[in-house]
Amino acid sequence: MIGLISATAAGAAARDRLAAAWPDRTRVYEGPAGEAVRAAFAECDRLVCFLATGATVRLLAPLLGDKAADPGVVCVDEGGRFAVSLVGGHGGGANELAYEVAELLGAEPVVTTATDAVGLAGLDALGLPAEGAVAAVSRALLDGEPVALEAEVAWPLPPVPFAEQGAYTVRLTDRAVRPGPREVLLRPPSLVVGVGASRGAPVEEVLGLIEETLREAGLSVRSVAELATVDAKSEEPGIVAAAGRLGVPLVTYPAGELAAVSVPNPSDAPLAAVGTPSVAEAAALRNGGELLVPKRKSAATPAMATCAVVRRPGRGRLAVVGLGPGARDLLTPRAAAELRRASVLVGLDQYVDQIRDLIRPGTRVLESGLGAEEERARTAVAEAREGHAVALIGSGDAGVYAMASPALAEASDDIDVVGVPGVTAALAAGAVLGAPLGHDHVSISLSDLHTPWEVIERRVRAAAEADIVVTFYNPRSRGRDWQLPKALAVLSDHREPETPVGVVRNASRPDESARLTTLAGLDPATVDMMTVVTVGNTATRNIAGRMVTPRGYRWQHAPEGAR
């Protein structure tokens, strides 16, 4: 929960905007600022104070204890110009919150954490528990000293400029080891503990067995991702309470699914009791992985609990990111976040150039030229399969004539895939022209590189006969100069010569140009691959120099007195 505190009318107005935008995430604290801050500090995991930074510091000072436990605090000035990450930037989530608040209020985020200030991902902000010399190793990264990564477990990480060797080390491990004086341990959530229990098994017995098993196997409890068991035990108090004390979710599976999992130690007892010959081992192995500890029983007599431990493989992550039509303010915040998160970036060289300033130090960039779409798709999927966090970029929306289709044709269910939508060229051009896409519309690429012209022409003819607005992508190149005239001729069989046509080149970019012409007046020679051509339907009109396709609302055609 995010606590909201203000002291003035202007602050209250901005506060209320946040409360209205995030009704399920925020709580407003009324009354004197000091009392409100104390109450919110005790009850919330993050705070936004619409107060001067000095006043906020004085109110917070007596309350601050441990930066690992204190809530993150963002301070917004009276004019709503800045959202300052004041305390708890990484651990408390204040840095991320500052960006969110700034985006919503139209303010400037102010983040002074050393790593963030130079574009580095903080070691305590990688999404994994961190132990050891976090400050010293972070300082070494800031100073450009070599910091080596020792990955005992493959796990996707955000970009960090690691070296092959160095006096400082970041070790990715789920083993119960102590960090050295120049070392940070990162704990991936790689361990799944399968649990079985008799009815009424006490939580002390279940939890004691889990902790003892991990300790004897030399594994860290901080890398436990979940407890897993059979559906019949989903409400068993001892198992539920053990998951709660460990702070991990309890995942359950139907007995039939667990019965199909091959295990080394099946038993007749659980088969008779819950319908599967294995609970602990089968539940731990349900989604694959390496069985580190086979089924063990608790030491009590009679034993009422069993457990097994599996190390699951780290799943790579492929984000297919649409960059929009080119203007930076049309790049979505979600797309920018994925670019910061990726340790590997794959894309066309000219698109990489567009966002090169957003790429964090340590990101491996794999760029190639025109005509290598399949190669980029295969490369991105292969990098994700190796356990990396990958961003595959494309212009506009990555799912529209871009990289999502070839990438997802290559990908299987062994990686996580995230789609990040972007503003398409058709939408950007439509906004420049007016409202040409106000009713049914279709986009058709005139490039016959991947689609036979016979298929393209059939689609153009179908759109013409259906009286649908058409946006042409890839309309004309030096080596492909006849397709656009042919497509226009097909449309002309069904539409009047005066049908409005919008032509937009480099929509949203600094050298943007646009003109409104007609189906008879369009000269195909003025069109190139950077151009989007939108042809109206029989209802599209030129209204005050804008291209408008009406929705056909009844009130627009009703007599004035009847509206």
Side-chain angles (χ1 to χ4, degrees), residues 217-293:
L219 299 170
S220 172
V221 70
R222 299 191 75 185
S223 280
V224 174
E226 62 190 40
L227 299 191
T229 191
V230 66
D231 279 351
K233 296 296 178 179
S234 63
E235 297 181 2
E236 184 63 43
I239 296 178
V240 173
R245 292 192 190 181
L246 290 171
V248 299
L250 175 63
V251 179
T252 67
Y253 302 101
E257 290 187 14
L258 297 187
V261 178
S262 178
V263 298
N265 299 295
S267 172
D268 292 335
L271 180 61
V274 294
T276 173
S278 172
V279 173
E281 288 180 340
L285 286 166
R286 168 61 179 76
N287 292 317
E290 176 189 3
L291 184 63
L292 301 180
V293 182

Side-chain angles (χ1 to χ4, degrees), residues 199-425:
R199 182 177 299 174
V203 61
E204 290 77 11
E205 183 172 344
V206 176
L207 186 59
L209 172 63
I210 293 170
E211 292 177 338
E212 179 185 5
T213 299
L214 292 171
R215 184 168 56 252
E216 292 184 2
L219 299 170
S220 172
V221 70
R222 299 191 75 185
S223 280
V224 174
E226 62 190 40
L227 299 191
T229 191
V230 66
D231 279 351
K233 296 296 178 179
S234 63
E235 297 181 2
E236 184 63 43
I239 296 178
V240 173
R245 292 192 190 181
L246 290 171
V248 299
L250 175 63
V251 179
T252 67
Y253 302 101
E257 290 187 14
L258 297 187
V261 178
S262 178
V263 298
N265 299 295
S267 172
D268 292 335
L271 180 61
V274 294
T276 173
S278 172
V279 173
E281 288 180 340
L285 286 166
R286 168 61 179 76
N287 292 317
E290 176 189 3
L291 184 63
L292 301 180
V293 182
K295 181 180 71 175
R296 288 188 51 175
K297 294 183 179 181
S298 55
T301 305
M304 299 185 73
T306 61
C307 81
V309 183
V310 163
R311 176 182 288 138
R312 65 180 182 182
R315 288 174 63 87
R317 186 176 189 275
L318 174 62
V320 187
V321 181
L323 300 179
R328 179 56 58 85
D329 59 353
L330 293 183
L331 176 75
T332 68
R334 187 182 301 180
E338 289 294 346
L339 296 177
R340 292 193 297 269
R341 177 174 183 167
S343 60
V344 179
L345 182 74
V346 182
L348 179 67
D349 47 14
Q350 63 189 53
Y351 298 152
V352 172
D353 287 341
Q354 287 181 24
I355 46 87
R356 201 174 292 276
D357 61 304
L358 298 179
I359 301 173
R360 275 181 157 170
T363 304
R364 187 155 49 93
V365 179
L366 305 176
E367 54 189 306
S368 53
L370 287 168
E373 288 85 358
E374 292 86 354
E375 177 189 343
R376 285 194 291 275
R378 286 193 293 267
T379 296
V381 171
E383 290 288 338
R385 284 187 175 136
E386 291 183 8
H388 300 299
V390 182
L392 175 62
I393 62 173
S395 67
D397 182 283
V400 179
Y401 303 123
M403 294 305 302
S405 295
L408 298 192
E410 290 284 332
S412 53
D413 62 0
D414 57 345
I415 61 174
D416 295 326
V417 177
V418 177
V420 182
V423 177
T424 67

Side-chain angles (χ1 to χ4, degrees), residues 452-476:
W453 173 253
E454 293 76 15
V455 175
I456 297 172
E457 183 173 349
R458 187 166 66 246
R459 292 171 179 172
V460 174
R461 192 173 305 281
E465 293 174 350
D467 196 27
I468 296 176
V469 175
V470 181
T471 297
F472 288 125
Y473 279 70
N474 307 312
R476 184 177 181 272

